[in-house]
Amino acid sequence: MNKNTFLSWIEEGVISIPSFLFRYYKKIGLTDIECMVILHIYNFIEKGKEFPTIDEIAERMVLSTEHCSQTILTLIQRGYLEILKGQTEEGIYFEKYSLKPLWLKLINEHALHEQEDLQFQTNLEEG
Amino acid sequence: MNKNTFLSWIEEGVISIPSFLFRYYKKIGLTDIECMVILHIYNFIEKGKEFPTIDEIAERMVLSTEHCSQTILTLIQRGYLEILKGQTEEGIYFEKYSLKPLWLKLINEHALHEQEDLQFQTNLEEG
Amino acid sequence: MNKNTFLSWIEEGVISIPSFLFRYYKKIGLTDIECMVILHIYNFIEKGKEFPTIDEIAERMVLSTEHCSQTILTLIQRGYLEILKGQTEEGIYFEKYSLKPLWLKLINEHALHEQEDLQFQTNLEEG
Amino acid sequence: MNKNTFLSWIEEGVISIPSFLFRYYKKIGLTDIECMVILHIYNFIEKGKEFPTIDEIAERMVLSTEHCSQTILTLIQRGYLEILKGQTEEGIYFEKYSLKPLWLKLINEHALHEQEDLQFQTNLEEG
């Protein structure tokens, strides 16, 4: 164990995931594996790789490349994930994943729960 | 959408996971689902609940309570997770999960990769 | 350097601060030092110590204990920080810091900027 | 308050700072303001801007541009911060800040404390 091993750990850093994702992913219709695929994509994005290939994602998972590919496809079709296409200032075309649809679903779910909590409290007080 | 919904989101916060967990969990012998169970436990610990029940964990997962229970058991047996028992200053007994064994496996795996990278570079230069 | 040093680093972990705090603290009326005092308090809270003493905070700062004390007082008076008092289920009285007033100011500032951006875009389009 | 305000908050995200920075910065010789300047630089780097200008940093601080400039200069001279120069694959020259020297100082400080703790425990046991 030397200092460079330690240093590279610090430089790789952490990824910070909204805690509500773990609380709500099942409620918004994701399976455990689908959520894991999303976490891998999020990790790549946060580390600066905005459009990882299926192979790069699957290499880190026990899930087969084929299943990984299918999972990503259905995540897009069912509106949890999207692929944005664009052009840089230098005119280079790019594609990148966006988790915006997922965050919107989470916000909606969270707002719903807040409302229920409020309703519940009101009922108690009125009860 | 009101300010309180926003505020409770901020107060719930994020959980920060070492990025290397996503890179190495398969290499250190974890399946995708096992890693997900660990992430749930980690999320509970970080939010102050150090010994969540199986039901609390399983409730957030698609995985059945029975499978969840088995998964946690094998994670302990195979040395990725441990349960610590202790007594508070007030004399109250407690149990809590510890992810120390997991972090040690990750550190070892990371040190191994650093060494390989170094070896690879030396070979290139000597080549 | 040994594994335990590494492990204790991982276990101490990170604190995750909304990025907008750095962007907006001056705009919402905080000085650099005041923001630093808040970051120390936030760090203590996140590590489970919800009511650190002035000495504990000042010990980590170049700021004198006296100035630290004054700074916290004015942060409370000016509505960035509050002290909550309560009683645990076991009947023990406690006090703790809450950053809720700060988050509310940040949310307001952020909402304002979003609106301006929107107004700016509308003007451009109408222009 | 609308969903887009919320969404942009989530997308801006958090920055995750090793908790030990707050515990040790004074011990490794940084002032409160110097640490704040470093946090701003770190925030820019994490958000993808690896070489923010002095004006961009100072704009967010109460500290004057001149003092900010001097602070960064002495941080480099005293070995807490460095500027790396390089060339991208496309042949474009770039400069960027690196916090590597800071992390190394923190690792050393942390290793020292771990050793002292160990020594302290040994003395207690032998005592």
Side-chain angles (χ1 to χ4, degrees):
Chain A
M1 185 70 39
N2 61 43
K3 277 177 201 174
N4 283 329
T5 310
F6 203 158
L7 189 63
S8 59
W9 180 283
I10 295 173
E11 293 194 315
E12 180 73 10
V14 298
I15 69 159
S16 299
I17 301 160
S19 191
F20 279 128
L21 179 59
F22 291 99
R23 190 180 286 196
Y24 293 143
Y25 75 76
K26 183 185 177 179
K27 290 206 167 111
I28 61 171
L30 290 172
T31 68
D32 304 325
I33 288 290
E34 283 168 350
C35 184
M36 199 46 149
V37 169
I38 281 173
L39 289 176
H40 278 286
I41 291 173
Y42 186 54
N43 188 36
F44 275 109
I45 294 173
E46 290 288 299
K47 297 301 153 204
K49 189 157 211 156
E50 298 191 302
F51 201 57
T53 66
I54 303 289
D55 282 340
E56 284 171 322
I57 299 166
E59 195 197 345
R60 298 182 173 187
M61 301 189 72
V62 176
L63 195 70
S64 72
T65 308
E66 204 188 326
H67 271 109
C68 184
S69 168
Q70 282 171 358
T71 305
I72 291 174
L73 205 66
T74 71
L75 284 171
I76 294 169
Q77 287 166 341
R78 284 156 53 213
Y80 294 92
L81 188 67
E82 62 184 347
I83 294 177
L84 301 180
K85 297 174 191 207
Q87 213 174 342
T88 65
E89 286 177 14
E90 292 84 19
I92 301 163
Y93 290 93
F94 67 84
E95 289 181 298
K96 62 178 181 178
Y97 285 113
S98 164
L99 293 173
K100 215 177 201 172
L102 173 70
W103 304 137
L104 279 171
K105 279 179 198 285
L106 272 185
I107 290 173
N108 287 339
E109 184 68 26
H110 176 53
L112 205 72
H113 278 262
E114 286 287 300
Q115 224 170 347
E116 279 171 11
D117 284 357
L118 208 68
Q119 190 57 40
F120 182 69
Q121 282 177 358
T122 314
N123 289 347
L124 277 184
E125 284 159 15
E126 287 174 355
Chain B
M1 185 71 39
N2 61 43
K3 277 178 200 174
N4 282 328
T5 310
F6 203 159
L7 190 61
S8 59
W9 180 281
I10 295 175
E11 293 194 312
E12 180 74 10
V14 298
I15 69 159
S16 298
I17 301 159
S19 190
F20 279 128
L21 179 60
F22 291 98
R23 190 180 287 195
Y24 294 143
Y25 76 76
K26 183 185 177 180
K27 290 205 166 109
I28 62 172
L30 291 171
T31 67
D32 304 326
I33 287 289
E34 284 168 348
C35 186
M36 199 45 146
V37 169
I38 282 174
L39 290 176
H40 278 286
I41 292 174
Y42 187 55
N43 188 35
F44 274 110
I45 295 174
E46 290 288 298
K47 296 301 154 204
K49 189 156 213 157
E50 298 190 302
F51 200 58
T53 66
I54 302 289
D55 281 339
E56 283 171 324
I57 299 166
E59 196 196 342
R60 296 181 175 186
M61 300 188 73
V62 176
L63 195 69
S64 72
T65 308
E66 204 189 327
H67 271 109
C68 184
S69 168
Q70 283 172 358
T71 304
I72 289 174
L73 205 67
T74 71
L75 284 171
I76 293 169
Q77 289 167 340
R78 284 156 52 213
Y80 293 92
L81 189 66
E82 61 184 348
I83 295 176
L84 301 179
K85 296 172 190 210
Q87 214 174 340
T88 65
E89 287 177 13
E90 291 84 18
I92 301 162
Y93 289 93
F94 67 83
E95 289 181 299
K96 61 176 180 177
Y97 285 113
S98 164
L99 293 173
K100 215 178 201 171
L102 174 71
W103 304 138
L104 279 171
K105 279 180 199 283
L106 271 185
I107 289 173
N108 286 338
E109 184 68 26
H110 175 52
L112 205 74
H113 278 263
E114 285 286 300
Q115 224 170 348
E116 279 171 12
D117 284 357
L118 209 67
Q119 190 58 41
F120 181 69
Q121 281 176 359
T122 315
N123 289 347
L124 276 185
E125 283 158 15
E126 285 175 354
Chain C
M1 185 71 38
N2 62 44
K3 277 177 201 175
N4 282 328
T5 311
F6 204 158
L7 190 62
S8 59
W9 180 282
I10 295 174
E11 293 195 313
E12 181 72 11
V14 297
I15 68 158
S16 298
I17 301 159
S19 191
F20 279 127
L21 179 60
F22 291 98
R23 189 179 287 196
Y24 294 142
Y25 75 76
K26 182 185 178 180
K27 290 205 167 110
I28 62 171
L30 291 171
T31 68
D32 305 326
I33 288 289
E34 285 168 347
C35 185
M36 199 47 147
V37 169
I38 282 173
L39 290 176
H40 278 286
I41 292 174
Y42 187 54
N43 187 36
F44 274 110
I45 294 174
E46 290 288 298
K47 297 300 153 203
K49 189 157 212 155
E50 298 190 302
F51 200 57
T53 66
I54 302 290
D55 282 339
E56 283 171 323
I57 299 165
E59 196 197 342
R60 297 183 174 186
M61 300 188 74
V62 176
L63 195 69
S64 73
T65 309
E66 205 189 326
H67 272 109
C68 183
S69 169
Q70 282 172 358
T71 305
I72 290 173
L73 206 66
T74 70
L75 285 171
I76 293 169
Q77 287 167 341
R78 284 156 52 213
Y80 294 93
L81 189 66
E82 60 185 347
I83 295 177
L84 301 179
K85 296 172 190 209
Q87 213 176 339
T88 65
E89 287 177 14
E90 291 84 17
I92 301 162
Y93 290 93
F94 66 84
E95 289 180 299
K96 61 176 182 178
Y97 285 112
S98 164
L99 293 174
K100 215 179 201 171
L102 174 70
W103 303 138
L104 278 172
K105 280 179 198 285
L106 272 185
I107 290 173
N108 287 339
E109 184 68 26
H110 175 53
L112 205 73
H113 278 262
E114 286 286 302
Q115 224 170 347
E116 278 171 12
D117 284 358
L118 209 69
Q119 190 58 40
F120 181 70
Q121 281 176 359
T122 315
N123 289 348
L124 276 185
E125 284 159 14
E126 285 175 355
Chain D
M1 184 72 37
N2 61 43
K3 277 178 202 173
N4 282 328
T5 310
F6 204 160
L7 189 62
S8 59
W9 180 281
I10 296 174
E11 294 195 313
E12 180 73 10
V14 298
I15 70 159
S16 298
I17 300 159
S19 191
F20 278 127
L21 179 61
F22 291 98
R23 189 179 286 196
Y24 293 143
Y25 76 77
K26 183 185 176 180
K27 290 205 167 112
I28 62 170
L30 290 172
T31 68
D32 305 326
I33 288 290
E34 283 168 349
C35 185
M36 199 46 148
V37 169
I38 282 173
L39 289 177
H40 279 285
I41 292 174
Y42 187 54
N43 188 35
F44 275 109
I45 294 174
E46 290 289 298
K47 297 301 153 204
K49 188 157 210 153
E50 297 191 301
F51 200 57
T53 66
I54 303 288
D55 282 339
E56 283 170 324
I57 299 165
E59 195 197 343
R60 297 181 175 187
M61 300 188 75
V62 176
L63 195 69
S64 72
T65 309
E66 204 188 327
H67 272 109
C68 184
S69 168
Q70 283 172 358
T71 304
I72 290 173
L73 206 66
T74 72
L75 284 171
I76 293 169
Q77 287 166 341
R78 285 156 53 213
Y80 293 92
L81 189 65
E82 62 184 346
I83 294 177
L84 301 179
K85 296 173 190 210
Q87 213 175 340
T88 64
E89 286 177 14
E90 291 85 18
I92 300 162
Y93 290 93
F94 66 84
E95 288 181 299
K96 61 176 181 178
Y97 285 113
S98 164
L99 293 173
K100 215 177 201 171
L102 174 70
W103 304 138
L104 279 171
K105 279 179 200 284
L106 272 185
I107 290 173
N108 286 339
E109 184 68 26
H110 176 53
L112 205 72
H113 278 262
E114 285 285 302
Q115 225 170 348
E116 279 171 12
D117 284 357
L118 209 68
Q119 189 58 39
F120 181 70
Q121 283 177 357
T122 315
N123 289 347
L124 276 185
E125 284 158 15
E126 286 175 353

